[in-house]
Amino acid sequence: MFNRALTAAEVQSMQISPSGTTEGGNIAWYKCDEEDGTTLSDASPNSRDAGIVAATEGDASLWTPTYPGYLAALPEDTVLRLGPPRWAVYGGDKDTNTWAPWYTQHKIMRGLLDAYYNTDNKQALDVVTKMADWAYLALTRGDKNHPDYKGNLTRDDLNYMWDLYIAGEFGGVNGVFPEIYDLTGDAEHLDTAKAFDNRESLFGAAVQDDDILVVTPDKIPGRRRQARLHANTHVPQFIGYLRVFEYSGEQDYFDAARNFYHWVVPHREFASGGVGGSYPGSNTNAELFQNRDNIANAIAKDGAETCTTYNMLKLARNLFLHEHNATYMDNYERGLFNMIPGSRADTSNTANPQLTYFQPLTPGSNRNYGNTGTCCGGSGLESHTKYQETVYFRTADNSALWINLFVPTVLTWTEKGFTVSQETEFPRGDTVKVTMDGNGQLDVNL
């Protein structure tokens, strides 16, 4: 564990030896070479030993996988029980309930893909491909070892799963399978991505641009969905749908993502770029979507959930790559500057990540920091490592440059022979100086 971002060369060096060229983590270094006991020793000078939580608590049979390729810190059973015949719901009973198990799969698979892309780690690709093979079986054959098993999962079964509050939350896992399809050529992975389509109560409406994020109880589509949908459950789904479009060419997936985005922006987004709030008299959960065009009435002490903004930024960025519409970047800038930097406390802490879950909106409210193990704690750790990723874009033919954000930066464009720098104090100041050094023609879009 480090207190800085490692270079690509440093990451690659650790494929050769445990510490590579880094001399080990300067926060903590767990070699995980203990042969017994419940302690992981810290090999750094900081003596931050860690405890091992027993992974076989409860029935050991839960840890025997039904299909090969499963990888997670939760028993495979917590995933399979979401579907038939048990239809597990969200709750705290570890033996019968489940809690967004596909969300966890997404984070692990996304990390493995990134490890492959950024360091050419072939083992990471092999592991994530086997996880994808497992996912295909889990979503087609299902819980086959259960005594009440009736046969393969149907489209109707899948729709019923994804309509379930929290338990059916799958993050953006549908976005990793098209990439694995592209890397392997195995069309089953694209089928797996489409298995996550929420076709009973949301996907079709998004294709038709029929805003049903909030409906009255007598008009609820689907058998298990809520009248008011949970924001951060659904935003990453549409990031995934956009990825399906990119690798399949099926227009419905692009239309669904674009229409959904415009249901939220500007109709449900605060000036800060946050989404959520509480609608008096009908909604006291600030994680849910507010009524369309009723933003002022939804301002609440809890305010906006940070990782909903994290995902809305991703969706805006990816739509911009297709449409080159500057309004996407305007909104990206709004959410980035208002919601993300302030989501991390300006302090050093080894006990928790010091990140916000909600960012309050009412006068006199203050942020609370912490969030070990929450969704906002995880996405928040990532957010503060990638401020640079959207400042500049180039066209595929290298003929044009987009300056999307006004951030003090230096871009060295070696292939084009240009260096571009920005000097600015934005948003505290209202001027920016852009200096370009190079020869030749270059179209620049601000």
Short mmCIF file of all heavy atoms in Angstrom, two decimals, residues 263-328:
data_model
loop_
_atom_site.label_atom_id
_atom_site.label_comp_id
_atom_site.label_asym_id
_atom_site.label_seq_id
_atom_site.Cartn_x
_atom_site.Cartn_y
_atom_site.Cartn_z
N TRP A 263 -32.79 12.23 -18.89
CA TRP A 263 -33.81 12.25 -17.84
C TRP A 263 -33.24 12.85 -16.56
O TRP A 263 -33.95 13.50 -15.79
CB TRP A 263 -34.29 10.84 -17.51
CG TRP A 263 -35.01 10.11 -18.59
CD1 TRP A 263 -35.48 10.62 -19.77
CD2 TRP A 263 -35.34 8.72 -18.59
NE1 TRP A 263 -36.08 9.63 -20.50
CE2 TRP A 263 -36.02 8.45 -19.81
CE3 TRP A 263 -35.14 7.68 -17.69
CZ2 TRP A 263 -36.49 7.18 -20.13
CZ3 TRP A 263 -35.61 6.41 -18.01
CH2 TRP A 263 -36.27 6.16 -19.22
N VAL A 264 -31.96 12.62 -16.35
CA VAL A 264 -31.30 13.10 -15.13
C VAL A 264 -30.82 14.53 -15.29
O VAL A 264 -31.00 15.37 -14.41
CB VAL A 264 -30.14 12.17 -14.74
CG1 VAL A 264 -29.47 12.65 -13.46
CG2 VAL A 264 -30.62 10.73 -14.58
N VAL A 265 -30.18 14.82 -16.43
CA VAL A 265 -29.62 16.15 -16.69
C VAL A 265 -30.45 16.83 -17.77
O VAL A 265 -30.53 16.33 -18.89
CB VAL A 265 -28.15 16.03 -17.17
CG1 VAL A 265 -27.56 17.41 -17.40
CG2 VAL A 265 -27.32 15.25 -16.16
N PRO A 266 -31.11 17.94 -17.47
CA PRO A 266 -31.02 18.74 -16.23
C PRO A 266 -32.16 18.49 -15.25
O PRO A 266 -32.25 19.18 -14.23
CB PRO A 266 -31.13 20.16 -16.78
CG PRO A 266 -32.13 20.02 -17.90
CD PRO A 266 -31.85 18.67 -18.52
N HIS A 267 -33.02 17.54 -15.51
CA HIS A 267 -34.30 17.46 -14.80
C HIS A 267 -34.19 17.01 -13.35
O HIS A 267 -35.11 17.25 -12.56
CB HIS A 267 -35.25 16.52 -15.55
CG HIS A 267 -35.50 16.95 -16.96
ND1 HIS A 267 -36.24 18.05 -17.29
CD2 HIS A 267 -35.05 16.43 -18.14
CE1 HIS A 267 -36.28 18.20 -18.60
NE2 HIS A 267 -35.56 17.22 -19.14
N ARG A 268 -33.07 16.35 -12.98
CA ARG A 268 -32.96 15.85 -11.61
C ARG A 268 -31.59 16.13 -10.99
O ARG A 268 -31.23 15.50 -10.00
CB ARG A 268 -33.22 14.33 -11.58
CG ARG A 268 -34.65 13.95 -11.93
CD ARG A 268 -34.83 12.45 -11.90
NE ARG A 268 -36.23 12.07 -12.01
CZ ARG A 268 -36.87 11.89 -13.16
NH1 ARG A 268 -36.22 12.04 -14.31
NH2 ARG A 268 -38.16 11.56 -13.17
N GLU A 269 -30.86 17.05 -11.54
CA GLU A 269 -29.51 17.31 -11.06
C GLU A 269 -29.42 18.67 -10.40
O GLU A 269 -29.89 19.67 -10.94
CB GLU A 269 -28.51 17.23 -12.22
CG GLU A 269 -27.07 17.31 -11.76
CD GLU A 269 -26.10 17.15 -12.92
OE1 GLU A 269 -25.91 18.12 -13.66
OE2 GLU A 269 -25.55 16.04 -13.08
N PHE A 270 -28.80 18.70 -9.22
CA PHE A 270 -28.59 19.96 -8.52
C PHE A 270 -27.50 20.77 -9.22
O PHE A 270 -26.72 20.24 -10.02
CB PHE A 270 -28.18 19.69 -7.07
CG PHE A 270 -29.20 18.93 -6.28
CD1 PHE A 270 -28.92 17.66 -5.79
CD2 PHE A 270 -30.45 19.47 -6.02
CE1 PHE A 270 -29.85 16.95 -5.06
CE2 PHE A 270 -31.40 18.77 -5.28
CZ PHE A 270 -31.10 17.50 -4.81
N ALA A 271 -27.41 22.05 -8.89
CA ALA A 271 -26.39 22.92 -9.49
C ALA A 271 -24.99 22.42 -9.19
O ALA A 271 -24.04 22.71 -9.93
CB ALA A 271 -26.56 24.35 -8.98
N SER A 272 -24.83 21.65 -8.12
CA SER A 272 -23.52 21.11 -7.75
C SER A 272 -23.10 19.95 -8.63
O SER A 272 -21.95 19.50 -8.57
CB SER A 272 -23.57 20.62 -6.29
OG SER A 272 -24.50 19.55 -6.16
N GLY A 273 -24.02 19.42 -9.44
CA GLY A 273 -23.74 18.21 -10.19
C GLY A 273 -24.14 16.95 -9.46
O GLY A 273 -23.95 15.84 -9.95
N GLY A 274 -24.72 17.11 -8.27
CA GLY A 274 -25.16 15.96 -7.49
C GLY A 274 -26.56 15.52 -7.86
O GLY A 274 -27.34 16.28 -8.44
N VAL A 275 -26.89 14.29 -7.51
CA VAL A 275 -28.20 13.70 -7.80
C VAL A 275 -28.71 13.03 -6.53
O VAL A 275 -27.95 12.36 -5.83
CB VAL A 275 -28.11 12.67 -8.94
CG1 VAL A 275 -29.46 12.00 -9.17
CG2 VAL A 275 -27.61 13.33 -10.22
N GLY A 276 -29.99 13.17 -6.25
CA GLY A 276 -30.59 12.53 -5.08
C GLY A 276 -31.54 13.48 -4.40
O GLY A 276 -32.36 14.13 -5.04
N GLY A 277 -31.42 13.58 -3.08
CA GLY A 277 -32.29 14.48 -2.33
C GLY A 277 -33.54 13.80 -1.83
O GLY A 277 -33.80 12.63 -2.10
N SER A 278 -34.34 14.54 -1.08
CA SER A 278 -35.57 14.01 -0.49
C SER A 278 -36.75 14.85 -0.91
O SER A 278 -36.71 16.08 -0.81
CB SER A 278 -35.47 14.00 1.05
OG SER A 278 -34.40 13.20 1.48
N TYR A 279 -37.79 14.20 -1.36
CA TYR A 279 -39.01 14.90 -1.77
C TYR A 279 -40.01 14.85 -0.63
O TYR A 279 -40.48 13.77 -0.26
CB TYR A 279 -39.59 14.26 -3.03
CG TYR A 279 -40.84 14.92 -3.53
CD1 TYR A 279 -40.86 16.27 -3.84
CD2 TYR A 279 -42.02 14.19 -3.69
CE1 TYR A 279 -42.00 16.88 -4.30
CE2 TYR A 279 -43.17 14.79 -4.16
CZ TYR A 279 -43.16 16.14 -4.46
OH TYR A 279 -44.30 16.75 -4.91
N PRO A 280 -40.32 15.99 -0.01
CA PRO A 280 -41.18 15.99 1.19
C PRO A 280 -42.51 15.28 0.96
O PRO A 280 -43.17 15.47 -0.06
CB PRO A 280 -41.40 17.49 1.45
CG PRO A 280 -40.22 18.16 0.80
CD PRO A 280 -39.91 17.33 -0.40
N GLY A 281 -42.85 14.46 1.93
CA GLY A 281 -44.14 13.79 1.89
C GLY A 281 -44.14 12.44 1.21
O GLY A 281 -45.06 11.65 1.39
N SER A 282 -43.10 12.16 0.40
CA SER A 282 -43.12 10.88 -0.30
C SER A 282 -41.77 10.19 -0.35
O SER A 282 -41.71 9.01 -0.67
CB SER A 282 -43.62 11.08 -1.74
OG SER A 282 -42.73 11.91 -2.46
N ASN A 283 -40.69 10.90 -0.06
CA ASN A 283 -39.38 10.28 -0.21
C ASN A 283 -38.44 10.82 0.86
O ASN A 283 -38.09 11.99 0.85
CB ASN A 283 -38.80 10.58 -1.59
CG ASN A 283 -37.35 10.15 -1.70
OD1 ASN A 283 -36.94 9.19 -1.06
ND2 ASN A 283 -36.57 10.85 -2.50
N THR A 284 -38.05 9.97 1.78
CA THR A 284 -37.10 10.37 2.81
C THR A 284 -35.75 9.68 2.63
O THR A 284 -34.89 9.77 3.49
CB THR A 284 -37.64 10.02 4.21
OG1 THR A 284 -37.92 8.61 4.27
CG2 THR A 284 -38.91 10.80 4.50
N ASN A 285 -35.57 9.00 1.52
CA ASN A 285 -34.31 8.32 1.21
C ASN A 285 -33.58 9.12 0.15
O ASN A 285 -33.98 9.14 -1.02
CB ASN A 285 -34.59 6.89 0.72
CG ASN A 285 -33.32 6.10 0.47
OD1 ASN A 285 -32.22 6.65 0.40
ND2 ASN A 285 -33.47 4.79 0.33
N ALA A 286 -32.50 9.78 0.53
CA ALA A 286 -31.80 10.68 -0.39
C ALA A 286 -31.04 9.94 -1.49
O ALA A 286 -30.47 10.57 -2.37
CB ALA A 286 -30.83 11.57 0.38
N GLU A 287 -31.02 8.61 -1.45
CA GLU A 287 -30.36 7.85 -2.51
C GLU A 287 -31.28 7.63 -3.72
O GLU A 287 -30.84 7.15 -4.76
CB GLU A 287 -29.91 6.48 -1.99
CG GLU A 287 -28.85 6.56 -0.91
CD GLU A 287 -28.32 5.20 -0.51
OE1 GLU A 287 -28.55 4.22 -1.26
OE2 GLU A 287 -27.67 5.10 0.54
N LEU A 288 -32.56 7.99 -3.59
CA LEU A 288 -33.52 7.72 -4.65
C LEU A 288 -33.64 8.91 -5.60
O LEU A 288 -33.32 10.05 -5.24
CB LEU A 288 -34.89 7.40 -4.06
CG LEU A 288 -34.95 6.28 -3.01
CD1 LEU A 288 -36.39 6.02 -2.61
CD2 LEU A 288 -34.29 5.01 -3.52
N PHE A 289 -34.11 8.64 -6.82
CA PHE A 289 -34.35 9.73 -7.76
C PHE A 289 -35.49 10.61 -7.26
O PHE A 289 -36.49 10.13 -6.73
CB PHE A 289 -34.72 9.17 -9.14
CG PHE A 289 -33.54 8.73 -9.95
CD1 PHE A 289 -33.40 7.40 -10.32
CD2 PHE A 289 -32.58 9.64 -10.36
CE1 PHE A 289 -32.31 6.98 -11.09
CE2 PHE A 289 -31.49 9.23 -11.12
CZ PHE A 289 -31.35 7.90 -11.48
N GLN A 290 -35.32 11.90 -7.46
CA GLN A 290 -36.37 12.85 -7.13
C GLN A 290 -37.34 12.99 -8.30
O GLN A 290 -37.08 12.50 -9.40
CB GLN A 290 -35.74 14.21 -6.83
CG GLN A 290 -34.90 14.74 -7.99
CD GLN A 290 -34.02 15.89 -7.61
OE1 GLN A 290 -34.53 16.96 -7.33
NE2 GLN A 290 -32.72 15.70 -7.61
N ASN A 291 -38.45 13.67 -8.06
CA ASN A 291 -39.42 13.90 -9.13
C ASN A 291 -38.80 14.76 -10.22
O ASN A 291 -37.96 15.62 -9.97
CB ASN A 291 -40.66 14.60 -8.58
CG ASN A 291 -41.51 13.68 -7.73
OD1 ASN A 291 -41.03 12.66 -7.23
ND2 ASN A 291 -42.77 14.02 -7.56
N ARG A 292 -39.23 14.54 -11.44
CA ARG A 292 -38.72 15.31 -12.57
C ARG A 292 -39.08 16.79 -12.40
O ARG A 292 -40.21 17.14 -12.05
CB ARG A 292 -39.32 14.76 -13.87
CG ARG A 292 -38.80 15.42 -15.15
CD ARG A 292 -39.47 14.80 -16.36
NE ARG A 292 -39.12 15.48 -17.60
CZ ARG A 292 -38.31 14.99 -18.54
NH1 ARG A 292 -37.77 13.80 -18.38
NH2 ARG A 292 -38.05 15.68 -19.64
N ASP A 293 -38.10 17.65 -12.65
CA ASP A 293 -38.28 19.11 -12.62
C ASP A 293 -38.82 19.61 -11.29
O ASP A 293 -39.60 20.56 -11.24
CB ASP A 293 -39.19 19.56 -13.76
CG ASP A 293 -38.58 19.30 -15.12
OD1 ASP A 293 -37.34 19.42 -15.24
OD2 ASP A 293 -39.32 18.96 -16.06
N ASN A 294 -38.41 18.99 -10.21
CA ASN A 294 -38.84 19.42 -8.88
C ASN A 294 -37.63 19.53 -7.96
O ASN A 294 -37.67 19.16 -6.79
CB ASN A 294 -39.86 18.43 -8.32
CG ASN A 294 -40.75 19.07 -7.27
OD1 ASN A 294 -40.95 20.27 -7.28
ND2 ASN A 294 -41.26 18.26 -6.36
N ILE A 295 -36.54 20.04 -8.51
CA ILE A 295 -35.24 20.01 -7.83
C ILE A 295 -35.26 20.82 -6.54
O ILE A 295 -34.77 20.37 -5.50
CB ILE A 295 -34.14 20.52 -8.79
CG1 ILE A 295 -33.99 19.54 -9.96
CG2 ILE A 295 -32.82 20.68 -8.06
CD1 ILE A 295 -33.10 20.03 -11.07
N ALA A 296 -35.82 22.02 -6.57
CA ALA A 296 -35.79 22.88 -5.38
C ALA A 296 -36.46 22.22 -4.19
O ALA A 296 -36.01 22.36 -3.04
CB ALA A 296 -36.45 24.22 -5.69
N ASN A 297 -37.53 21.47 -4.43
CA ASN A 297 -38.24 20.81 -3.34
C ASN A 297 -37.52 19.57 -2.82
O ASN A 297 -37.93 19.00 -1.81
CB ASN A 297 -39.64 20.41 -3.79
CG ASN A 297 -40.58 21.59 -3.87
OD1 ASN A 297 -40.40 22.56 -3.16
ND2 ASN A 297 -41.57 21.51 -4.74
N ALA A 298 -36.46 19.15 -3.51
CA ALA A 298 -35.75 17.94 -3.12
C ALA A 298 -34.47 18.23 -2.35
O ALA A 298 -33.77 17.30 -1.94
CB ALA A 298 -35.43 17.10 -4.35
N ILE A 299 -34.14 19.51 -2.16
CA ILE A 299 -32.93 19.85 -1.41
C ILE A 299 -33.08 19.35 0.02
O ILE A 299 -34.07 19.63 0.69
CB ILE A 299 -32.69 21.37 -1.43
CG1 ILE A 299 -32.33 21.81 -2.86
CG2 ILE A 299 -31.58 21.75 -0.46
CD1 ILE A 299 -32.19 23.31 -3.01
N ALA A 300 -32.11 18.57 0.46
CA ALA A 300 -32.23 17.92 1.76
C ALA A 300 -30.89 17.93 2.49
O ALA A 300 -29.84 18.12 1.89
CB ALA A 300 -32.70 16.47 1.57
N LYS A 301 -30.97 17.71 3.79
CA LYS A 301 -29.75 17.69 4.60
C LYS A 301 -28.79 16.62 4.12
O LYS A 301 -27.58 16.84 4.04
CB LYS A 301 -30.11 17.47 6.07
CG LYS A 301 -28.89 17.46 6.99
CD LYS A 301 -29.28 17.26 8.44
CE LYS A 301 -28.05 17.24 9.33
NZ LYS A 301 -28.40 17.04 10.75
N ASP A 302 -29.31 15.42 3.83
CA ASP A 302 -28.43 14.36 3.33
C ASP A 302 -27.87 14.71 1.96
O ASP A 302 -26.73 14.43 1.65
CB ASP A 302 -29.19 13.03 3.25
CG ASP A 302 -29.36 12.39 4.62
OD1 ASP A 302 -28.58 12.73 5.52
OD2 ASP A 302 -30.28 11.58 4.77
N GLY A 303 -28.70 15.32 1.12
CA GLY A 303 -28.21 15.84 -0.15
C GLY A 303 -27.97 14.79 -1.20
O GLY A 303 -28.81 13.92 -1.43
N ALA A 304 -26.80 14.85 -1.84
CA ALA A 304 -26.50 14.02 -3.01
C ALA A 304 -25.48 12.95 -2.66
O ALA A 304 -24.50 13.21 -1.97
CB ALA A 304 -25.97 14.90 -4.14
N GLU A 305 -25.71 11.74 -3.17
CA GLU A 305 -24.78 10.63 -2.93
C GLU A 305 -23.56 10.78 -3.84
O GLU A 305 -23.69 10.93 -5.06
CB GLU A 305 -25.49 9.30 -3.21
CG GLU A 305 -24.64 8.10 -2.87
CD GLU A 305 -25.36 6.78 -3.12
OE1 GLU A 305 -26.59 6.80 -3.36
OE2 GLU A 305 -24.69 5.73 -3.07
N THR A 306 -22.38 10.71 -3.25
CA THR A 306 -21.16 11.01 -3.98
C THR A 306 -20.92 10.07 -5.15
O THR A 306 -20.54 10.48 -6.24
CB THR A 306 -19.95 10.98 -3.03
OG1 THR A 306 -20.20 11.86 -1.93
CG2 THR A 306 -18.69 11.44 -3.75
N CYS A 307 -21.14 8.76 -4.96
CA CYS A 307 -20.79 7.86 -6.05
C CYS A 307 -21.83 7.86 -7.17
O CYS A 307 -21.57 7.34 -8.25
CB CYS A 307 -20.47 6.45 -5.57
SG CYS A 307 -21.76 5.60 -4.72
N THR A 308 -23.00 8.47 -6.95
CA THR A 308 -23.90 8.69 -8.08
C THR A 308 -23.27 9.70 -9.03
O THR A 308 -23.32 9.54 -10.25
CB THR A 308 -25.27 9.18 -7.60
OG1 THR A 308 -25.80 8.26 -6.64
CG2 THR A 308 -26.23 9.30 -8.76
N THR A 309 -22.66 10.75 -8.46
CA THR A 309 -21.94 11.71 -9.30
C THR A 309 -20.76 11.05 -9.99
O THR A 309 -20.51 11.28 -11.18
CB THR A 309 -21.45 12.89 -8.45
OG1 THR A 309 -22.58 13.56 -7.88
CG2 THR A 309 -20.65 13.88 -9.29
N TYR A 310 -20.03 10.21 -9.27
CA TYR A 310 -18.92 9.46 -9.87
C TYR A 310 -19.37 8.74 -11.14
O TYR A 310 -18.70 8.77 -12.18
CB TYR A 310 -18.39 8.48 -8.83
CG TYR A 310 -17.59 7.30 -9.35
CD1 TYR A 310 -16.21 7.38 -9.49
CD2 TYR A 310 -18.22 6.09 -9.66
CE1 TYR A 310 -15.48 6.29 -9.95
CE2 TYR A 310 -17.50 5.01 -10.11
CZ TYR A 310 -16.13 5.10 -10.26
OH TYR A 310 -15.41 4.03 -10.72
N ASN A 311 -20.53 8.10 -11.08
CA ASN A 311 -21.02 7.36 -12.23
C ASN A 311 -21.63 8.27 -13.30
O ASN A 311 -21.50 7.99 -14.50
CB ASN A 311 -22.04 6.31 -11.79
CG ASN A 311 -21.37 5.07 -11.22
OD1 ASN A 311 -20.48 4.50 -11.84
ND2 ASN A 311 -21.77 4.67 -10.02
N MET A 312 -22.27 9.36 -12.90
CA MET A 312 -22.79 10.30 -13.90
C MET A 312 -21.66 10.94 -14.69
O MET A 312 -21.80 11.21 -15.89
CB MET A 312 -23.64 11.38 -13.22
CG MET A 312 -25.03 10.93 -12.80
SD MET A 312 -26.07 10.37 -14.19
CE MET A 312 -26.21 11.88 -15.17
N LEU A 313 -20.52 11.17 -14.05
CA LEU A 313 -19.35 11.69 -14.78
C LEU A 313 -18.89 10.69 -15.83
O LEU A 313 -18.55 11.06 -16.96
CB LEU A 313 -18.21 12.00 -13.81
CG LEU A 313 -18.43 13.11 -12.78
CD1 LEU A 313 -17.17 13.34 -11.97
CD2 LEU A 313 -18.87 14.40 -13.45
N LYS A 314 -18.86 9.42 -15.46
CA LYS A 314 -18.48 8.39 -16.44
C LYS A 314 -19.43 8.37 -17.63
O LYS A 314 -19.00 8.27 -18.78
CB LYS A 314 -18.49 7.01 -15.76
CG LYS A 314 -17.25 6.66 -14.98
CD LYS A 314 -17.33 5.20 -14.56
CE LYS A 314 -16.03 4.72 -13.96
NZ LYS A 314 -16.09 3.28 -13.62
N LEU A 315 -20.73 8.44 -17.34
CA LEU A 315 -21.72 8.38 -18.41
C LEU A 315 -21.60 9.60 -19.32
O LEU A 315 -21.64 9.47 -20.56
CB LEU A 315 -23.12 8.28 -17.82
CG LEU A 315 -24.27 8.09 -18.81
CD1 LEU A 315 -24.06 6.87 -19.70
CD2 LEU A 315 -25.60 7.97 -18.06
N ALA A 316 -21.42 10.79 -18.73
CA ALA A 316 -21.26 12.00 -19.54
C ALA A 316 -20.01 11.92 -20.41
O ALA A 316 -20.03 12.26 -21.60
CB ALA A 316 -21.18 13.23 -18.63
N ARG A 317 -18.93 11.45 -19.83
CA ARG A 317 -17.66 11.33 -20.57
C ARG A 317 -17.81 10.38 -21.75
O ARG A 317 -17.37 10.68 -22.87
CB ARG A 317 -16.58 10.82 -19.61
CG ARG A 317 -15.20 10.65 -20.21
CD ARG A 317 -14.25 10.10 -19.14
NE ARG A 317 -12.87 10.15 -19.56
CZ ARG A 317 -12.24 9.18 -20.22
NH1 ARG A 317 -12.90 8.08 -20.54
NH2 ARG A 317 -10.97 9.30 -20.55
N ASN A 318 -18.43 9.24 -21.52
CA ASN A 318 -18.53 8.25 -22.58
C ASN A 318 -19.50 8.67 -23.68
O ASN A 318 -19.29 8.37 -24.86
CB ASN A 318 -18.94 6.90 -21.99
CG ASN A 318 -17.85 6.31 -21.11
OD1 ASN A 318 -16.74 6.85 -21.04
ND2 ASN A 318 -18.14 5.21 -20.43
N LEU A 319 -20.57 9.37 -23.32
CA LEU A 319 -21.48 9.89 -24.34
C LEU A 319 -20.79 10.97 -25.17
O LEU A 319 -21.00 11.06 -26.39
CB LEU A 319 -22.75 10.45 -23.69
CG LEU A 319 -23.75 9.39 -23.20
CD1 LEU A 319 -24.80 10.03 -22.30
CD2 LEU A 319 -24.42 8.67 -24.37
N PHE A 320 -19.97 11.79 -24.53
CA PHE A 320 -19.23 12.81 -25.27
C PHE A 320 -18.32 12.18 -26.33
O PHE A 320 -18.17 12.72 -27.44
CB PHE A 320 -18.39 13.65 -24.31
CG PHE A 320 -17.49 14.64 -25.01
CD1 PHE A 320 -17.97 15.86 -25.42
CD2 PHE A 320 -16.16 14.33 -25.26
CE1 PHE A 320 -17.15 16.77 -26.08
CE2 PHE A 320 -15.33 15.23 -25.91
CZ PHE A 320 -15.82 16.45 -26.32
N LEU A 321 -17.73 11.05 -26.02
CA LEU A 321 -16.85 10.39 -26.98
C LEU A 321 -17.59 9.99 -28.25
O LEU A 321 -16.99 9.87 -29.32
CB LEU A 321 -16.21 9.15 -26.34
CG LEU A 321 -15.22 9.43 -25.20
CD1 LEU A 321 -14.79 8.13 -24.54
CD2 LEU A 321 -14.02 10.20 -25.71
N HIS A 322 -18.90 9.82 -28.15
CA HIS A 322 -19.70 9.45 -29.32
C HIS A 322 -20.28 10.67 -30.03
O HIS A 322 -20.35 10.69 -31.26
CB HIS A 322 -20.85 8.52 -28.90
CG HIS A 322 -20.39 7.15 -28.53
ND1 HIS A 322 -20.14 6.17 -29.45
CD2 HIS A 322 -20.12 6.60 -27.32
CE1 HIS A 322 -19.73 5.06 -28.84
NE2 HIS A 322 -19.72 5.30 -27.54
N GLU A 323 -20.70 11.67 -29.27
CA GLU A 323 -21.45 12.77 -29.88
C GLU A 323 -20.68 14.09 -29.94
O GLU A 323 -21.12 15.02 -30.62
CB GLU A 323 -22.76 12.99 -29.11
CG GLU A 323 -23.70 11.79 -29.19
CD GLU A 323 -25.11 12.12 -28.74
OE1 GLU A 323 -25.25 12.78 -27.69
OE2 GLU A 323 -26.05 11.72 -29.43
N HIS A 324 -19.57 14.21 -29.23
CA HIS A 324 -18.75 15.43 -29.24
C HIS A 324 -19.59 16.67 -28.92
O HIS A 324 -19.35 17.74 -29.47
CB HIS A 324 -18.04 15.60 -30.58
CG HIS A 324 -17.12 14.49 -30.93
ND1 HIS A 324 -16.55 14.35 -32.17
CD2 HIS A 324 -16.66 13.44 -30.19
CE1 HIS A 324 -15.79 13.27 -32.19
NE2 HIS A 324 -15.84 12.70 -31.00
N ASN A 325 -20.55 16.50 -28.04
CA ASN A 325 -21.42 17.59 -27.64
C ASN A 325 -20.85 18.21 -26.36
O ASN A 325 -20.75 17.56 -25.33
CB ASN A 325 -22.84 17.06 -27.39
CG ASN A 325 -23.83 18.16 -27.09
OD1 ASN A 325 -23.48 19.22 -26.57
ND2 ASN A 325 -25.09 17.92 -27.41
N ALA A 326 -20.48 19.49 -26.44
CA ALA A 326 -19.79 20.14 -25.33
C ALA A 326 -20.64 20.22 -24.07
O ALA A 326 -20.09 20.40 -22.97
CB ALA A 326 -19.34 21.54 -25.74
N THR A 327 -21.95 20.09 -24.18
CA THR A 327 -22.78 20.15 -22.98
C THR A 327 -22.47 18.99 -22.03
O THR A 327 -22.63 19.12 -20.82
CB THR A 327 -24.28 20.14 -23.33
OG1 THR A 327 -24.61 18.92 -24.02
CG2 THR A 327 -24.64 21.33 -24.20
N TYR A 328 -22.03 17.85 -22.58
CA TYR A 328 -21.63 16.75 -21.71
C TYR A 328 -20.43 17.16 -20.86
O TYR A 328 -20.35 16.84 -19.67
CB TYR A 328 -21.27 15.51 -22.54
CG TYR A 328 -22.44 14.84 -23.22
CD1 TYR A 328 -22.44 14.65 -24.60
CD2 TYR A 328 -23.54 14.39 -22.49
CE1 TYR A 328 -23.50 14.02 -25.23
CE2 TYR A 328 -24.60 13.76 -23.12
CZ TYR A 328 -24.58 13.58 -24.49
OH TYR A 328 -25.64 12.96 -25.12
#
